[in-house]
Amino acid sequence: MLGYPTEFGQMEVVKLIAQADYGGKRIGYLTLAVVLDETHEVLTLAENHIKKDLSNTNSFVQAIALDVVANVSGEDMARDVLHEVEQLLDSPNMYLRRKACLAALRIVKKAPDHAEIFLEKMQNIFQEMQTEQGEAFLPKFRLLITSAVRVLKQLVLATKITDQDIGGVSDPFLQIKLLQFLRLTG
């Protein structure tokens, strides 16, 4: 944390994580993610609390524990929480499944020999997310295609020089964003 020593507060972080109320746990996990990295030995003390919170019935507690696994876990912690993260990939809560995907990515980076465990589940989740998102937003944005094409045509054919012009090209960054939008909407 900006080069200052944090040893004085590391045990307090573990105590916060061990609290039963969500507010204390949240502060503890946020502090742990900022103050500690995978090389700190205090992380091994917090590991049992993290495993317990991954199995908690409260989805918010599970989510903040998954955040720590996704951002701070080392090789040993990755191997230890593997089973809990695998179970959360099957959660009916999409928010938890997305967090579990990020944690699984970290686990695979730290312990690549466990990649096969997550491969099939991740493919199913990504296919489900793709169909869910594609069906939800495309019809709404397809209505805007004609407007986007009109604006892009005006930018390309513009003769007036504005502050957004770069090298004689009218607002190239807006043109890029419009082209990306048109690529996504088909």
Side-chain angles (χ1 to χ4, degrees):
M1 192 165 94
L2 300 175
Y4 292 101
T6 59
E7 291 81 18
F8 65 91
Q10 290 176 356
M11 286 307 296
E12 294 302 318
V13 170
V14 175
K15 289 178 185 176
L16 283 170
I17 291 171
Q19 288 184 1
D21 68 305
Y22 175 71
K25 280 188 182 294
R26 182 171 176 229
I27 298 297
Y29 277 119
L30 288 172
T31 308
L32 185 135
V34 171
V35 172
L36 302 178
D37 64 3
E38 63 186 64
T39 60
H40 284 89
E41 292 180 15
V42 177
L43 198 58
T44 57
L45 295 172
E47 190 174 312
N48 287 331
H49 297 293
I50 293 170
K51 283 185 74 166
K52 187 175 73 173
D53 289 341
L54 287 173
S55 301
N56 197 320
T57 57
N58 186 344
S59 61
F60 295 117
V61 173
Q62 289 175 326
I64 57 176
L66 282 169
D67 281 337
V68 168
V69 171
N71 293 315
V72 182
S73 69
E75 185 177 346
D76 293 334
M77 182 189 282
R79 291 181 197 282
D80 290 340
V81 299
L82 175 78
H83 181 65
E84 287 82 4
V85 172
E86 183 182 4
Q87 287 178 339
L88 287 171
L89 283 171
D90 294 329
S91 171
N93 186 342
M94 187 57 138
Y95 177 69
L96 283 179
R97 281 192 291 182
R98 289 178 182 173
K99 296 262 186 195
C101 285
L102 293 173
L105 180 65
R106 178 72 176 218
I107 290 171
V108 169
K109 283 181 181 178
K110 295 299 175 181
D113 50 322
H114 297 295
E116 311 85 42
I117 296 171
F118 297 112
L119 186 61
E120 185 179 330
K121 290 185 180 188
M122 297 283 262
Q123 286 176 342
N124 293 338
I125 289 172
F126 289 140
Q127 286 174 352
E128 184 180 321
M129 286 172 53
Q130 207 171 27
T131 58
E132 192 177 281
Q133 290 175 352
E135 293 170 2
F137 86 91
L138 276 180
K140 295 176 186 173
F141 286 106
R142 285 206 171 121
L143 300 172
L144 300 174
I145 289 177
T146 55
S147 300
V149 170
R150 188 177 328 111
V151 170
L152 187 61
K153 181 180 176 183
Q154 289 172 354
L155 287 171
V156 170
L157 300 176
T159 57
K160 184 179 173 186
I161 297 174
T162 63
D163 292 337
Q164 290 82 16
D165 291 357
I166 298 175
V169 178
S170 297
D171 204 353
F173 297 110
L174 179 58
Q175 288 185 28
I176 290 169
K177 290 296 180 186
L178 286 169
L179 289 171
Q180 288 173 344
F181 170 74
L182 291 171
R183 178 182 53 103
L184 288 174
T185 55

